[in-house]
Amino acid sequence: MSTEIDTARAAALLDDAPLAHASLFRFATAGSVDDGKSTLVGRLLHDSKAILADQLDAVARTSADRGFGGSAGGIDLALLTDGLRAEREQGITIDVAYRYFATDRRSFILADCPGHVQYTKNTVTGASTADAVVVLIDARKGVLEQTRRHLSVLQLLRVAHVIVAVNKIDLVDFSESVFREIEADVQQVGRELGLGSDGITDLLVVPVSALDGDNVVERSERTPWYTGPALLEVLETLPAADELESHLESFRFPVQLVIRPQGALAPDAVAGGLDVEAYRDYRAYAGQITEGSVKVGDKVSVLTPGQDPRTTTVTGIDFAGAELTEAVAPQSVALRLADEFDVARGDTIAAAGTVREASADLYAALCWLSPKPLREGAKVLVKHGTRTVQALVRSVSGKLDLATFKLEGASSLELNDIGHAQLRLAAPLPLENYLHHRRTGAFLVIDPLDGNTLAAGLVNDHPGDHEDERYSI
Amino acid sequence: MSIETTNEDLELSVLELDADSPKAAHRASEERASVSKPRGEAVARLSSLDTLESEAIHIIREVVAEFEKPALLFSGGKDSVVMLHLATKAFWPGKVPFPVLHVDTGHNFPEVIDFRDRTVERLGLKLVVGSVQEFIDSGELAERADGTRNPLQTVPLLDAIQRNKFDAVFGGGRRDEDKARAKERILSLRDEFGQWDPRNQRPELWNLYNGRHTVGQHVRAFPISNWTELDVWRYIERENIELPGLYYAHDREVFARDGMWRAVGEVSQPRPDEEVITKTVRYRTVGDMSCTGAVESAAATVRDVVIEVAASTITERGATRADDRISEAAMEDRKKDGYF
Ligand SMILES: Nc1nc2c(ncn2[C@@H]2O[C@H](COP(=O)(O)OP(=O)(O)O)[C@@H](O)[C@H]2O)c(=O)[nH]1
Ligand SMILES: [Mg+2]
């Protein structure tokens, strides 16, 4: 009835410094059914003490009801993430589940992505926001076609860090040779895909037992031949995607809305001493920095579809009453500009001279996520940044065989297919190659009839057009 | 070089690199290309709270930009207070551009109602109230045998949404609260009957939120989906956000029922066999008085609470909400029917 206090955790927290500065890291899991994703997630949560007593009680009760016999005290850790009634009853994961845990160094958001049905849909969804993806392999089975598919999707989605966890290492007697063979196979697939060698992604292989905890949170004595870090150590030290993207000179800021109170100032701000006169003509552009950083005094281009880019200077970066001198992705701020341009939602503010001409021809890879297939000639909506425009599907130019990484001819795309298509947009958009711009190179394809999301789109270069030299690697 | 946020001493060491020169970019990518192992220590540029705050503000602004008539569910509970605080930051120096909506069970703690009214007044907002009591009085809802009114909130909520033609409703739901909520989208479509279809949700990709809906449907938006209870409390501390006093330790007359301490009040009377005692308690959620329990606690300040929450071994719903204990799927069932 009283709140029990775990004094060790409380003491760690009292030393407040690490918590206040811990950064956020997003990762997802992928793997075939029964490779142990849910168990691994449960293990991470359990061993990092993110699971609270009452959750554990509920899971222990259900495990006992079902006669679960595994280790971890007879608790089926997978039950911690299988949240919907249908999932618990069928013992499978249906939908992406988000879980949260923290260590001294980082806060983690984990997307547990189911592997059997609709693995592409779930993996694409989980990977789109992930800084890293952990792909599970059953050590007894090694690299399967499904593994190749997963790695292929992750390479396409440009996930910064791919970590292959060779799971159930306990079931192969912690054999080094089994692990080394799988590791070599993984590296071979990586080379074929460019994963880990394209300068954008990296690829790591770790032997684990999700069930027993070997190399999950702590290095295991049962794998003395493995000298690398445990999985959690890896996750704690990898740079998040935003931390990497700052290396590029590519400030991008899709305008969400214009803040122009025109006298309707917040009463609490006024009560707090806001100078009403000074803010009478206040006008700023609100948005979230998707990439790079911006400083007061920076030259920027305002990109409005159908108009030439207009160049101006940033005169202020506001955040709820604080005037910043600089802001970085993914901060939400409001920018003030030197010139009184007409800037509106859907426009993009970018570092001056770094953006290619807007285009109404969209070449892209589409991850098809809907049971309604894509046909040439279809009318769809494209949501890119803060703008949604109508579009016509001119042609489908092929479909990827994810297992062989080859493009096959196709004129339509079905659920879980990934293919290439050309679309004609009703208005030009500042499209950028997804390979180098994970936000401004991404878009949604939406069904104009029911509003459902049909596909995740990744912008390709126009055929014969080379990506801006500045970003070539 | 540093960003002046309320988290004043955050160093942006990564930016001290000469990140503007193409050479630097090239060098960095070369370094990355050569290795297939971790690229060294990550340098935190933003704290996790800053990142969560920016994500929430982005979501709030998207909804305001794309919907005709949003509203924010405001109960005076800490999650809704944090959401409203984020909204004030999102539109500063302008006013929060939408009304707040409260579903009044008629069993609320009076000090929470008082706090609600003061907050609305301070921010110059419009308050829309949906009343469970009115629905009971008119016979459209029946009091439950167990006296709990939380499950009865759904009907007045949907009624208020329909009557006011709200097409988006901000909720303070967090994915870490419950296993069903863990599968909730940030923008979640509700059909004409307010129902949630967990098996047929739109995939949510990048930070591109798809809020398209047809007439009669509406969208629930959860800007603090990715926050944990500890994040919420740390943010309350950092931002110096005022909460109803109930959240902090105080002496109260209570009695034990269903493994929780219940406050003695008009709607929550002890049975003859239940002994009333005075305890130092606080609340972790401030819902319906008839089903929300207090925990014994000496945490009298926000700092104390942060420490207590970090060290706690019981989740907030498990500890203090009788309505979630009914079955393992209790929350999923209520959400399917249109609950928050
Ligand atoms: N021996 C052993 N069994 C494991 C390990 N990881 C998972 N399992 C078992 O493999 C089965 C499938 O695990 P689950 O987590 O549900 O897989 P998912 O379908 O990928 O989520 C369960 O019976 C687990 O107990 C492991 O490391 N060692
Ligand atoms: Mg599973």
Side-chain angles (χ1 to χ4, degrees):
Chain A
M1 228 181 280
S2 65
T3 305
E4 289 168 41
I5 302 283
D6 173 340
T7 44
R9 280 186 82 192
L13 192 92
L14 274 171
D15 176 15
D16 191 44
L19 249 192
H21 295 274
S23 63
L24 194 64
F25 194 80
R26 298 173 204 248
F27 73 102
T29 55
S32 311
V33 68
D34 281 346
D35 283 348
K37 289 174 305 298
S38 300
T39 307
L40 179 74
V41 169
R43 169 60 62 189
L44 278 168
L45 297 172
H46 180 266
D47 288 7
S48 64
K49 303 194 171 57
I51 293 171
L52 304 173
D54 59 335
Q55 290 175 318
L56 213 53
D57 281 355
V59 166
R61 256 182 277 122
T62 313
S63 302
D65 289 351
R66 302 225 186 115
F68 183 82
S71 72
I75 292 175
D76 183 358
L77 294 171
L79 290 172
L80 286 166
T81 57
D82 292 343
L84 301 175
R85 191 206 301 270
E87 294 176 331
R88 283 192 301 278
E89 285 169 3
Q90 297 166 32
I92 53 162
T93 317
I94 290 164
D95 198 8
V96 181
Y98 296 89
R99 306 295 316 204
Y100 303 83
F101 66 100
T103 67
D104 283 358
R105 306 172 78 158
R106 264 193 174 150
S107 296
F108 293 95
I109 301 180
L110 191 171
D112 183 18
C113 303
H116 47 113
V117 273
Q118 308 211 335
Y119 69 93
T120 307
K121 178 175 169 181
N122 292 316
T123 308
V124 168
T125 303
S128 72
T129 51
D131 298 304
V133 174
V134 178
V135 180
L136 274 92
I137 292 183
D138 186 326
R140 297 169 301 177
K141 298 183 188 154
V143 173
L144 301 177
E145 192 177 302
Q146 177 91 321
T147 317
R148 295 172 66 88
R149 290 177 202 272
H150 277 125
L151 294 177
S152 180
V153 170
L154 300 181
Q155 195 276 336
L156 197 75
L157 274 140
R158 218 201 78 176
V159 173
H161 315 285
V162 175
I163 305 158
V164 174
V166 179
N167 189 32
K168 308 196 185 182
I169 199 77
D170 55 304
L171 295 182
V172 295
D173 293 326
F174 303 95
S175 155
E176 173 169 19
S177 61
V178 170
F179 174 74
R180 294 293 171 215
E181 208 172 300
I182 295 172
E183 183 183 40
D185 289 349
V186 169
Q187 297 294 357
Q188 176 57 34
V189 174
R191 272 191 297 280
E192 286 172 46
L193 283 168
L195 197 66
S197 56
D198 54 4
I200 292 166
T201 53
D202 55 35
L203 183 59
L204 295 154
V205 191
V206 185
V208 302
S209 168
L211 196 64
D212 296 343
D214 298 85
N215 295 323
V216 176
V217 170
E218 271 160 31
R219 296 181 203 199
S220 171
E221 284 166 11
R222 300 198 282 184
T223 52
W225 40 265
Y226 174 75
T227 52
L231 182 63
L232 185 63
E233 280 176 73
V234 175
L235 295 168
E236 278 184 320
T237 50
L238 288 170
D242 281 319
E243 291 160 351
L244 291 170
E245 271 150 14
S246 67
H247 291 300
L248 299 174
E249 118 193 76
S250 47
F251 170 64
R252 299 287 184 268
F253 186 83
V255 175
Q256 289 188 277
L257 38 86
V258 183
I259 297 181
R260 219 181 145 205
Q262 292 179 294
L265 293 167
D268 57 319
V270 174
L274 185 84
D275 180 349
V276 176
E277 269 317 301
Y279 282 88
R280 197 166 296 285
D281 297 319
Y282 183 86
R283 182 190 190 98
Y285 307 104
Q288 184 174 29
I289 302 174
T290 54
E291 217 177 289
S293 64
V294 65
K295 289 196 280 288
V296 173
D298 277 359
K299 286 255 177 295
V300 290
S301 299
V302 178
L303 312 168
T304 305
Q307 291 183 30
D308 287 335
R310 293 161 296 172
T311 300
T312 181
T313 307
V314 175
T315 52
I317 306 171
D318 291 335
F319 182 63
E323 285 194 34
L324 315 181
T325 52
E326 171 158 33
V328 298
Q331 280 184 297
S332 284
V333 292
L335 298 183
R336 281 177 279 126
L337 302 177
D339 295 273
E340 289 243 340
F341 289 152
D342 183 21
V343 181
R345 174 175 172 83
D347 294 351
T348 301
I349 301 176
T354 63
V355 179
R356 303 191 309 179
E357 220 176 299
S359 171
D361 286 309
L362 170 56
Y363 293 83
L366 298 180
C367 310
W368 203 254
L369 309 174
S370 162
K372 210 168 173 178
L374 172 71
R375 307 248 182 260
E376 292 180 351
K379 287 209 173 89
V380 295
L381 297 170
V382 164
K383 179 165 189 169
H384 174 260
T386 51
R387 186 171 286 266
T388 304
V389 301
Q390 291 182 298
L392 177 72
V393 181
R394 305 242 318 232
S395 63
V396 175
S397 61
K399 180 167 108 178
L400 242 127
D401 181 330
L402 291 173
T404 60
F405 318 135
K406 294 216 169 67
L407 201 65
E408 351 173 295
S411 57
S412 76
L413 295 177
E414 318 250 325
L415 177 64
N416 292 321
D417 280 348
I418 297 181
H420 290 276
Q422 189 200 340
L423 288 81
R424 176 74 189 172
L425 305 176
L429 292 175
L431 302 164
E432 302 194 86
N433 189 335
Y434 182 82
L435 193 59
H436 304 291
H437 303 275
R438 209 178 173 197
R439 297 286 185 223
T440 46
F443 62 92
L444 301 182
V445 179
I446 294 171
D447 187 337
L449 298 175
D450 60 15
N452 284 334
T453 301
L454 297 170
L458 318 172
V459 179
N460 291 334
D461 283 337
H462 289 191
D465 179 13
H466 289 287
E467 170 72 357
D468 194 326
E469 284 299 320
R470 242 186 320 273
Y471 303 117
S472 66
I473 300 166
Chain B
M1 173 191 311
S2 70
I3 288 189
E4 292 157 29
T5 62
T6 36
N7 196 1
E8 62 296 308
D9 48 3
L10 189 74
E11 279 293 324
L12 297 175
S13 6
V14 160
L15 292 176
E16 283 160 11
L17 296 174
D18 182 13
D20 280 346
S21 83
K23 253 209 194 123
H26 198 79
R27 208 171 43 235
S29 56
E30 258 175 13
E31 276 163 25
R32 278 185 268 147
S34 60
V35 287
S36 158
K37 41 185 201 313
R39 296 165 199 155
E41 292 278 299
V43 187
R45 301 190 305 162
L46 295 179
S47 70
S48 61
L49 274 190
D50 288 327
T51 305
L52 291 170
E53 178 186 58
S54 277
E55 178 181 87
I57 288 175
H58 174 250
I59 294 161
I60 293 169
R61 287 169 169 172
E62 277 304 280
V63 169
V64 166
E66 294 219 321
F67 290 80
E68 301 271 315
K69 214 177 164 199
L72 181 143
L73 284 169
F74 187 70
S75 61
K78 68 178 191 317
D79 297 325
S80 69
V81 174
V82 163
M83 244 194 334
L84 190 54
H85 179 84
L86 289 161
T88 64
K89 293 186 90 164
F91 302 102
W92 182 96
K95 241 163 83 158
V96 172
F98 42 77
V100 295
L101 169 59
H102 182 220
V103 180
D104 186 342
T105 58
H107 284 177
N108 292 288
F109 292 95
E111 51 266 64
V112 177
I113 296 293
D114 178 57
F115 173 85
R116 175 196 76 184
D117 293 341
R118 273 192 294 117
T119 306
V120 164
E121 163 101 41
R122 178 171 63 81
L123 300 175
L125 300 176
K126 183 180 162 216
L127 170 69
V128 177
V129 179
S131 162
V132 173
Q133 190 63 54
E134 276 175 25
F135 276 77
I136 291 174
D137 292 347
S138 71
E140 286 172 81
L141 279 178
E143 196 86 73
R144 291 162 52 100
D146 61 7
T148 294
R149 284 188 174 180
N150 263 0
L152 301 183
Q153 284 170 280
T154 304
V155 172
L157 170 66
L158 294 176
D159 175 73
I161 290 171
Q162 260 158 26
R163 257 187 310 123
N164 292 280
K165 298 193 168 58
F166 294 133
D167 53 356
V169 180
F170 291 107
R174 292 180 284 110
R175 287 172 177 159
D176 86 323
E177 281 179 82
D178 176 272
K179 285 194 287 188
R181 280 210 201 274
K183 314 231 154 172
E184 178 66 279
R185 300 298 189 259
I186 285 173
L187 288 200
S188 179
L189 195 65
R190 297 301 150 104
D191 68 9
E192 290 77 353
F193 306 100
Q195 297 178 101
W196 181 53
D197 181 0
R199 296 196 63 171
N200 198 14
Q201 302 195 79
R202 288 176 183 166
E204 215 151 52
L205 299 134
W206 299 287
N207 63 349
L208 298 171
Y209 302 107
N210 176 5
R212 291 189 90 83
H213 57 281
T214 54
V215 178
Q217 294 179 328
H218 72 274
V219 165
R220 301 281 172 87
F222 300 104
I224 60 168
S225 280
N226 284 327
W227 298 44
T228 63
E229 189 190 8
L230 183 58
D231 293 326
V232 168
W233 276 107
R234 286 173 52 222
Y235 190 70
I236 289 166
E237 179 183 40
R238 187 182 96 168
E239 301 281 306
N240 213 354
I241 298 171
E242 190 197 342
L243 289 183
L246 255 67
Y247 278 107
Y248 303 108
H250 56 282
D251 288 342
R252 189 177 282 264
E253 286 201 317
V254 291
F255 59 93
R257 182 183 295 170
D258 302 337
M260 289 185 269
W261 293 114
R262 298 290 183 79
V264 178
E266 216 177 300
V267 296
S268 137
Q269 284 296 324
R271 300 185 196 114
D273 59 327
E274 291 170 328
E275 190 195 346
V276 174
I277 42 177
T278 300
K279 285 249 168 219
T280 303
V281 296
R282 67 176 201 86
Y283 285 85
R284 292 176 73 182
T285 64
V286 291
D288 181 337
M289 259 184 107
S290 68
C291 73
T292 305
V295 291
E296 261 180 88
S297 167
T301 65
V302 62
R303 174 91 288 222
D304 296 342
V305 175
V306 167
I307 292 166
E308 187 184 285
V309 169
S312 157
T313 56
I314 308 261
T315 59
E316 63 191 283
R317 283 194 173 266
T320 59
R321 291 285 270 264
D323 51 333
D324 288 326
R325 300 185 155 202
I326 299 163
S327 89
E328 216 189 336
M331 175 62 94
E332 183 179 340
D333 291 342
R334 273 186 292 143
K335 279 180 69 66
K336 279 181 181 162
D337 292 341
Y339 190 73
F340 305 126

